[in-house]
């Protein structure tokens, strides 16, 4: 099966220009010419056609550098739209963006438990189709659907080996057939790393480790300026670095994993246990609440100065710092970015993380790594899902069935 984006017909060069202008915001003919190794007249011809077709607009002149100022071009924000979807283990968010990554419809958030839930995929499809219908945007103007999700994902084949079984089809093929729009999937932490590199605090950086602080603890790795996936595409499982021999049991079946000790879901469960034991806190709990509600409440309480919430997060931060010391020893990154849901309490986490780095990391290595807090925060996965669509904008992706993919890998 082939997935084709809603690009410009008949010209690979024009699709390449749109893709580059999406990432660079504005460029001149000379800049595009140098980037693509094409003549300026051929670039100018393609730009003029794109302007006539409503995809590109003049952005004005570049700042003066002593010579004649070049005319800059950018994508027309309303030429096409991108449907971005961010999934975690418990919740789905759907947001429609224009080509400048501006939201053009209200975000839809709904509960979607992924683990052991055969109804999750049909529900996701229904919500996508209803959202598109309510947005008022025709499908022909949607460049694609990008979805970030947890799990072991084969990006090339469009398969999530952990969640959302499509019953013999690849997940991308299934979603494309059910929505009528080319769909792409990737690991949530990988997309957060892409968002930070393309539009966030790590823009254009070559060596970056991006920590996805959420219900789990993910890692997206930018190495030599590109997303590093490892041999089988599953690199970045920071959650399952073992911190102790006899710690809590993780969902992976092992004991002492970072995720089982320091993820927001685990911290929320510790908060519930503390409330039941009578700890003094502003946090409230009833038997009808679940860990997600407590996790969100915990973040708010900590930012409002609740000492119990801060204590729990500080303990988690120290353990995260211990894991980051291992990461720094192996990868020697220039930058580590704290991103995802937990970026909202990153200022609280920073001190215990640094304390752990001082204890466990070789000073020469630690001194060469800068620890930063994401400016995209919880929106990073949605931005990354939009980036995923535009990364594939000038490509045709062939998707095999799950059976064929497994046979090929055997």
């Amino acid at each position: 099966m082939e997935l084709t984006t809603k690009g410009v017909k008949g010209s690979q060069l024009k699709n390449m220009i749109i893709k580059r202008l999406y990432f660079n915001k504005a460029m001149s003919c000379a800049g595009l010419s140098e980037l693509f190794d094409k003549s300026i007249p051929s670039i100018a011809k393609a730009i003029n056609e794109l302007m006539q077709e409503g995809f590109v607009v003049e952005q004005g002149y570049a700042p003066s550098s002593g010579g004649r100022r070049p005319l800059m071009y950018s994508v027309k924000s309303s030429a096409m739209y991108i449907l971005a979807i961010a999934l975690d283990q418990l919740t789905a968010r759907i947001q429609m963006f224009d080509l400048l990554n501006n939201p053009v419809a209200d975000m839809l958030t709904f509960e979607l438990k992924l683990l052991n839930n055969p109804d999750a995929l049909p529900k996701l499809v229904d919500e996508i189709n209803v959202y598109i219908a309510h947005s008022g945007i025709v499908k022909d103007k949607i460049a694609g659907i990008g979805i970030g999700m947890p799990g072991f994902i084969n990006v090339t084949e469009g398969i999530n080996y952990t969640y959302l079984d499509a019953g013999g089809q690849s997940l991308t093929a299934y979603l494309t057939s059910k929505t009528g729009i080319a769909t792409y999937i990737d690991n949530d932490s990988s997309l957060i790393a892409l968002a930070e590199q393309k539009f966030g605090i790590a823009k254009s950086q070559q060596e970056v480790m991006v920590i996805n602080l959420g219900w789990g603890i993910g890692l997206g790795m930018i190495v030599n300026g590109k997303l590093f996936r490892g041999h089988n595409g599953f690199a970045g499982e920071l959650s399952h670095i073992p911190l102790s021999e006899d710690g809590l049991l993780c969902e992976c079946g092992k004991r002492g994993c970072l995720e089982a000790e320091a993820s927001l879901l685990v911290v929320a469960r510790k908060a519930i246990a503390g409330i039941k034991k009578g700890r003094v806190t502003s946090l409230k709990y009833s038997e009808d609440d679940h860990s997600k509600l407590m996790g969100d409440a915990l973040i708010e309480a900590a930012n409002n100065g609740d000492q119990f919430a801060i204590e729990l997060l500080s303990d988690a931060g120290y353990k995260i710092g211990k894991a980051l010391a291992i990461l720094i020893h192996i990868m020697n990154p220039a930058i580590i970015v704290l991103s995802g849901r937990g970026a909202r309490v990153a200022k609280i986490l920073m001190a215990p993380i640094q304390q752990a780095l001082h204890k466990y990391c070789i000073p020469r290595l630690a001194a060469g790594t800068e620890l930063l807090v994401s400016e995209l925060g919880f929106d990073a996965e949605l931005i990354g899902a939009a980036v995923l669509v535009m990364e594939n904008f000038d490509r045709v992706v062939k998707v095999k069935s799950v059976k064929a993919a497994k046979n090929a890998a055997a």
Side-chain angles (χ1 to χ4, degrees), residues 63-196:
S64 176
S65 58
R68 183 178 178 181
R69 295 190 298 163
L71 185 60
M72 306 294 284
Y73 300 92
S74 66
V75 290
K76 184 177 180 180
S77 63
S78 59
M80 289 180 295
Y81 301 92
I82 304 168
L83 190 65
I85 302 174
L87 305 181
D88 59 33
Q89 291 89 337
L90 303 172
T91 310
R93 291 175 290 150
I94 302 179
Q95 179 74 76
M96 188 79 76
F97 291 104
D98 65 19
L99 290 183
L100 296 180
N101 287 336
N102 298 311
V104 294
D106 291 339
M107 183 190 299
L108 172 65
T109 302
F110 57 96
E111 290 189 9
L112 188 72
K113 182 182 177 183
L114 297 184
L115 184 63
N116 299 324
N117 182 10
D119 297 326
L121 185 54
K123 181 177 181 180
L124 177 61
V125 169
D126 288 344
E127 296 287 359
I128 290 171
N129 285 325
V130 169
Y131 183 89
I132 293 171
H134 287 173
S135 75
I137 295 172
V138 296
K139 289 185 177 182
D140 282 345
K141 291 204 72 175
I142 300 176
I145 299 173
I147 308 179
M149 60 183 71
F152 292 111
I153 296 174
N154 182 321
V155 175
T156 304
E157 306 296 348
I159 302 166
N160 188 335
Y161 293 105
T162 311
Y163 303 113
L164 300 177
D165 179 19
Q169 280 184 288
S170 78
L171 187 54
T172 50
Y174 177 89
L175 290 166
T176 298
S177 67
K178 294 296 184 180
T179 63
I181 301 171
T183 302
Y184 309 93
I185 66 170
D186 205 337
N187 178 267
D188 52 353
S189 299
S190 294
L191 291 188
I192 288 172
L194 277 177
E196 296 293 351

Side-chain angles (χ1 to χ4, degrees), residues 90 111 215 263-276 281-302 306 308-309 312-313 341 344-345:
L90 303 172
E111 290 189 9
W215 303 131
S263 69
L264 284 177
L265 207 56
V266 168
V267 174
R269 290 168 183 160
K270 290 180 178 179
I272 292 171
I275 293 169
K276 289 180 177 180
T281 175
S282 62
L283 292 166
K284 305 296 181 184
Y285 172 72
S286 71
E287 294 299 329
D288 295 330
D289 292 341
H290 49 67
S291 298
K292 177 188 176 298
L293 290 175
M294 178 55 68
D296 289 333
L298 181 83
I299 289 172
E300 183 177 357
D306 186 285
F308 179 50
L312 290 172
L313 288 169
R341 182 188 296 269
R344 289 185 288 171
V345 287

Side-chain angles (χ1 to χ4, degrees), residues 318 321-322 325 329 352-363 366:
Y318 187 81
K322 187 175 181 180
H329 287 158
I353 287 175
Q354 291 285 10
Q355 183 182 2
L357 290 179
H358 287 311
K359 182 173 181 179
Y360 295 108
C361 196
I362 295 171

